[in-house]
Amino acid sequence: MTNRIHGVVNLSETTLRVSKIKDGTVIDHITAGHALDVLKILGITGRVNSVVTVGMNVPSKTLGLKDMVKIEGRELKSEEVDKIALLAPHASINIIRNYKVVDKQLVRLPEVIHDTIKCANPACISNSNEPVQSTFYVDNEEPLRLRCHYCGYIMEKQDIPKQF
């Protein structure tokens, strides 16, 4: 017997599947524990009418555990994808139209990051009222280390979610 409640189909005691979306975006292979950070980046608060499905700590063959987010009725902008790359460097973005994947891309961390996050150093000129665009260099991808162009401050992955 199959029970259907708000898009979730319970097939048995051990299997739980989330139904397909007609149009929108699926962000898969998010680093485990960062789905809520991805929602924050995208400005998703739960106070809108679109359906958002979040899976956290889902078993993954390649990552061990992963998070995933499905957003109905929305396709991501390139700036949003760049922000997601900072938190989930192995994520994939799937664009869904009429229940089919029409575009799939892997996020890519650029070598230089412009005007995406703030420097964690409060004394940095990029945090002042000066007309300066924040700029970071990716010193290392795994583990993530970003270096501020202006003050040289090093930010690591755990510092990033607070700087959006």
Side-chain angles (χ1 to χ4, degrees), residues 48-86:
V48 293
N49 291 335
S50 61
V51 175
V52 176
T53 304
V54 178
M56 299 176 72
N57 296 312
V58 177
S60 166
K61 291 177 185 169
T62 54
L63 299 175
L65 293 175
K66 68 177 181 178
D67 290 357
M68 54 140 311
V69 174
K70 290 185 176 189
I71 309 162
E72 292 191 37
R74 178 172 171 184
E75 294 185 15
L76 302 184
K77 299 175 185 132
S78 62
E79 308 87 57
E80 294 172 319
V81 174
D82 289 346
K83 288 179 180 181
I84 291 169
L86 289 167

Side-chain angles (χ1 to χ4, degrees), residues 77-145:
K77 299 175 185 132
S78 62
E79 308 87 57
E80 294 172 319
V81 174
D82 289 346
K83 288 179 180 181
I84 291 169
L86 289 167
L87 297 175
H90 306 290
S92 62
I93 310 292
N94 300 298
I95 304 301
I96 312 296
R97 293 191 191 124
N98 202 27
Y99 298 104
K100 291 188 167 94
V101 176
V102 296
D103 185 30
K104 181 174 185 167
Q105 62 178 331
L106 298 176
V107 298
R108 231 182 102 250
L109 195 59
E111 292 179 18
V112 181
I113 300 162
H114 298 285
D115 206 26
T116 301
I117 56 173
K118 301 181 299 180
C119 183
N121 177 4
C124 181
I125 192 168
S126 67
N127 288 323
S128 68
N129 290 329
E130 298 294 326
V132 176
Q133 182 184 57
S134 66
T135 302
F136 292 89
Y137 303 103
V138 177
D139 279 350
N140 197 43
E141 287 189 26
E142 285 291 330
L144 182 62
R145 288 174 40 106

